[in-house]
Amino acid sequence: MRQKTQYELAFPPALKGEAPKTDGEGTEARAARADVERRTAMVGPSMEAVVERDNLKKALAQVRRNKGAPGVDDMRVDDLAAHLKDHWPTIRAQLLDGTYRPQPVRRVEIPKASGGTRPLGIPTVLDRFIQQAVLQVLQADWDPTFSEASFGFRPGRSAHQAVARAQSYIANGHRWVVDLDLEKFFDRVNHDLLMGLVAQRVSDRRILRLIRGFLVAGVLADGLVGPTDEGTPQGGPLSPLLSNLMLDVLDRELAKRGHRFVRYADDCNIYVQSRRAGERVMASVERFLAQQLKLRVNRAKSAVARPHARKFLGFSFTSGEQPRRRIAPQALARFKSRVRELTRRSRGANLARIAEDLSRYLVGWRGYFGFCQTPSKLRRLDEWIRRRLRAIAWKQWRRGRTRFAELRRRGVGKDLAAQTAGSAHGPWRLSRSPALALALPIPFFAAIGLASVAANHAA
């Protein structure tokens, strides 16, 4: 039986011989003096905290959980432990003396939910590990200082909380929204501005140099490494925290002005009481972003509108005195497109296999969009999915004789079975017929494991 190798990594609390001894001063006195000097000079986290044993073990475990593709060096996540076992003392020394240099990221294009593609930069597995170790230390120090209105990429905070906060503002009479879309935010972040914000919280030059190194490491695309003069490449663990730091400047400005707002990463909604107020806010915030953060608002995607006419994190809201959360039309369109893809009548798989593949998607989708408050919409989606599966079954039965036999075997009366089997209508039309509803009822789909998007929904 093959045994799984478990590496004992070289993450010592400290390495011997890192500092040479000095004559005329005892070891304890030197250590005490060095500690006082370091505490006096250092503001915020230090590199020693980054390479601390427990922090490294936690970072390694997180990188393994995240998995992910190899970077430019083709090292896989499964190879990282062995690499660290052999090379960690050298890497640690480079981090502590400030000479570690990150490798370029590998550029890939991933599809966007709204269409088109988004550039993603994949760091090497080693750089992801180091970024994760830095992230854990910085986030613990910075996150408590961030705005209560910021919900993206923060421990203990979620998109659902952001949507609920937005709903509360609307219910309290702020029935206009300033919906801000930042134009290519992650690609446009100014490095000098960002590093200035980091330097206000971290004085350890080794950490500052390392973060700058991650920002300017370059991008490998089409076999060539190009420079990165601006932006925080999406794909590394550190990028979301740096984006929150940058946009915390916006949060503080909006809070100072007394606005009611919700931000999730670069998606920011400000709730006001009139269109005129919204237009004033849009203009002033646009100027602030351009002057203070060198960021641009995408005017084509931004608007001052009623909340029911906009989407926020995949949700929208009903109009009326008590707004309810509903699934945004764009999100529903994407859902139906994916279900159609998974239930193509030309797949050739049996219904049980199709239901199994489909259910994996449905369970994840329900985990997020089940937060809506429109259960009738979810029930109609379930009905639509069952109808698609009935159409598949009808197509697979193919011939009239087979269709008649299947309907009779499943309890459909002789006359109704004969009438339906002989119909000239296509599978989609007949998927709503009484005969197929009798032959393939709701309990049948539950028996083959089809998940329901309306199951356990609390309105």
Side-chain angles (χ1 to χ4, degrees):
M1 182 176 179
R2 185 178 177 183
Q3 292 184 336
K4 187 176 180 180
T5 304
Q6 185 171 359
Y7 295 100
E8 184 63 34
L9 301 179
F11 291 158
L15 293 180
K16 295 181 179 179
E18 286 182 356
K21 294 182 179 180
T22 305
D23 293 337
E25 186 177 24
T27 302
E28 293 182 2
R30 287 197 308 273
R33 181 172 58 81
D35 186 60
V36 169
E37 290 175 352
R38 183 161 49 246
R39 288 176 182 272
T40 302
M42 198 74 68
V43 175
S46 68
M47 187 63 79
E48 281 75 15
V50 172
V51 300
E52 192 269 330
R53 180 183 178 86
D54 288 343
N55 187 55
L56 296 172
K57 290 171 68 175
K58 182 180 175 183
L60 179 60
Q62 186 62 47
V63 170
R64 283 171 162 167
R65 282 193 295 271
N66 290 344
K67 299 179 181 179
V72 295
D73 61 355
D74 291 326
M75 183 191 298
R76 300 171 305 166
V77 171
D78 292 342
D79 300 328
L80 178 59
H83 181 82
L84 292 173
K85 182 176 175 65
D86 293 337
H87 301 286
W88 176 246
T90 300
I91 297 168
R92 183 179 188 274
Q94 291 174 346
L95 291 169
L96 286 171
D97 64 22
T99 59
Y100 181 84
R101 293 292 177 266
Q103 296 189 66
V105 300
R106 182 167 64 86
R107 170 65 55 82
V108 297
E109 300 287 337
I110 61 171
K112 294 171 64 175
S114 57
T117 60
R118 183 195 309 278
L120 189 71
I122 302 179
T124 65
V125 175
L126 176 60
D127 282 341
R128 295 208 295 270
F129 165 68
I130 293 172
Q131 282 196 39
Q132 182 64 37
V134 173
L135 166 69
Q136 290 165 184
V137 171
L138 297 186
Q139 191 165 56
D141 190 65
W142 296 358
D143 193 79
T145 72
F146 288 158
S147 168
E148 280 296 307
S150 167
F151 291 88
F153 308 115
R154 296 184 61 189
R157 289 174 166 254
S158 69
H160 286 175
Q161 292 173 338
V163 173
R165 177 73 64 88
Q167 183 181 13
S168 71
Y169 290 146
I170 300 167
N172 287 332
H174 294 78
R175 299 182 181 277
W176 289 88
V177 61
V178 181
D179 187 356
L180 289 171
D181 184 278
L182 299 181
E183 189 174 278
K184 297 183 178 179
F185 168 73
F186 287 94
D187 299 330
R188 295 276 170 81
V189 169
N190 182 282
H191 288 174
D192 291 335
L193 278 174
L194 177 58
M195 290 307 303
L197 294 171
V198 176
Q200 291 176 17
R201 296 168 178 258
V202 177
S203 65
D204 190 325
R205 293 188 177 183
R206 298 165 298 178
I207 293 182
L208 296 175
R209 192 177 297 122
L210 180 62
I211 293 175
R212 172 78 76 166
F214 284 126
L215 293 175
V216 301
V219 175
L220 177 66
D222 300 323
L224 298 174
V225 175
T228 46
D229 300 322
E230 61 180 3
T232 59
Q234 296 184 73
L238 201 50
S239 182
L241 178 65
L242 294 178
S243 69
N244 269 336
L245 178 65
M246 189 78 164
L247 290 176
D248 187 58
V249 176
L250 173 63
D251 296 343
R252 291 175 185 275
E253 179 66 18
L254 295 178
K256 186 173 72 174
R257 298 181 186 185
H259 290 310
R260 290 162 177 81
F261 69 98
V262 183
R263 184 177 65 78
Y264 191 97
D266 59 336
D267 200 345
C268 183
N269 279 5
I270 307 167
Y271 293 89
V272 295
Q273 293 180 315
S274 69
R275 175 182 286 277
R276 180 176 294 181
E279 290 170 349
R280 285 199 303 268
V281 170
M282 175 71 84
S284 63
V285 171
E286 187 174 3
R287 285 194 301 271
F288 176 83
L289 287 167
Q291 294 170 3
Q292 300 299 319
L293 297 179
K294 300 188 186 303
L295 296 172
R296 292 202 295 266
V297 171
N298 186 330
R299 295 188 179 183
K301 294 183 178 181
S302 301
V304 176
R306 294 289 193 181
H308 68 260
R310 305 295 294 178
K311 65 179 179 68
F312 182 53
L313 303 177
F315 292 91
S316 186
F317 303 95
T318 61
S319 55
E321 291 298 315
Q322 294 299 322
R324 290 180 298 151
R325 299 183 296 271
R326 65 185 180 94
I327 304 166
Q330 301 92 325
L332 280 175
R334 288 194 296 270
F335 171 79
K336 288 194 169 186
S337 176
R338 181 60 176 149
V339 170
R340 287 189 184 100
E341 182 182 338
L342 292 168
T343 56
R344 296 189 311 272
R345 293 178 213 160
S346 59
R347 281 191 62 182
N350 62 40
L351 281 187
R353 175 60 187 275
I354 294 172
E356 179 185 351
D357 294 344
L358 181 59
S359 292
R360 281 194 289 269
Y361 172 69
L362 296 180
V363 168
W365 189 89
R366 182 182 70 203
Y368 185 76
F369 286 102
F371 188 60
C372 75
Q373 295 173 310
T374 51
S376 61
K377 172 62 72 174
L378 298 180
R379 288 194 293 269
R380 287 196 294 274
L381 290 176
D382 273 344
E383 292 168 2
W384 176 74
I385 291 167
R386 289 193 295 269
R387 185 180 174 191
R388 290 196 62 82
L389 294 179
R390 289 182 182 121
I392 290 173
W394 193 250
K395 177 86 180 286
Q396 290 180 346
W397 293 343
R398 301 185 66 180
R399 296 179 179 84
R401 183 176 299 177
T402 304
R403 288 169 174 172
F404 176 79
E406 287 289 346
L407 291 175
R408 292 288 290 137
R409 184 171 69 84
R410 295 166 186 272
V412 179
K414 184 176 180 180
D415 291 343
L416 181 57
Q419 179 185 357
T420 307
S423 173
H425 294 305
W428 184 242
R429 173 79 173 268
L430 289 172
S431 64
R432 294 187 68 178
S433 68
L436 278 173
L438 287 169
L440 302 173
I442 295 176
F444 165 80
F445 293 108
I448 64 173
L450 179 66
S452 163
V453 295
N456 304 319
H457 181 269

